[in-house]
Amino acid sequence: QVQLVESGGGLAQPGGSLRLSCAASGSIFRIDTMAWYRQAPGKQRELVATISRGGSPNYADSVKGRFTISRDNAKNTVYLQMNSLKPEDTAVYYCNADGTVVGGRGFEYGDYWGKGTPVTVSS
């Protein structure tokens, strides 16, 4: 299995910054695409950013130019640097990863989620 643990969430003022981290652990063979999603109260979960294993990023229009996704494959970790935060960025942020693990039945490919880290942007 793959376990994803997010960290770095908290309270920030509008215009401030936060840096989220997500570390993967377990019987990992290889992690491919990693991503950040977010879900505000009463709203649908939405994609924030993705990054391929080779480092190619993709961003939602709402965060483009403000957020930066990056990863360290040696540490099986993905990051989300959030700058120029707005109140509408307030949400629980979830880490997602596609990967291959070594299980009892051999190599197994799956989609994995963390439990989320809350981000609140308020003055």
Side-chain angles (χ1 to χ4, degrees), residues 89-102:
D89 295 319
T90 297
V92 176
Y93 284 70
Y94 296 90
C95 178
N96 173 265
D98 298 324
T100 303
V101 301
V102 181

Side-chain angles (χ1 to χ4, degrees), residues 51-93:
I51 185 166
S52 70
R53 182 172 178 82
S56 297
N58 202 350
Y59 300 95
D61 288 341
S62 59
V63 306
K64 200 170 298 181
R66 300 187 298 120
F67 291 9
T68 302
I69 188 170
S70 61
R71 66 189 290 170
D72 185 337
N73 290 339
K75 297 180 179 180
N76 288 322
T77 300
V78 63
Y79 306 93
L80 186 68
Q81 178 67 46
M82 304 186 294
N83 298 326
S84 301
L85 285 164
K86 304 175 180 179
E88 50 262 46
D89 295 319
T90 297
V92 176
Y93 284 70

Side-chain angles (χ1 to χ4, degrees), residues 30-33 97-101 106-112:
R30 186 181 67 234
I31 295 178
D32 298 315
T33 300
D98 298 324
T100 303
V101 301
F107 294 105
E108 301 176 7
Y109 188 83
D111 187 56
Y112 304 93

Side-chain angles (χ1 to χ4, degrees), residues 32-51:
D32 298 315
T33 300
M34 302 187 80
W36 288 96
Y37 290 74
R38 67 186 182 187
Q39 187 168 25
K43 292 190 175 182
Q44 184 178 338
R45 184 174 298 188
E46 65 175 347
L47 179 66
V48 177
T50 68
I51 185 166

Side-chain angles (χ1 to χ4, degrees), residues 106-123:
F107 294 105
E108 301 176 7
Y109 188 83
D111 187 56
Y112 304 93
W113 291 89
K115 295 187 181 298
T117 185
V119 171
T120 301
V121 183
S122 179
S123 59

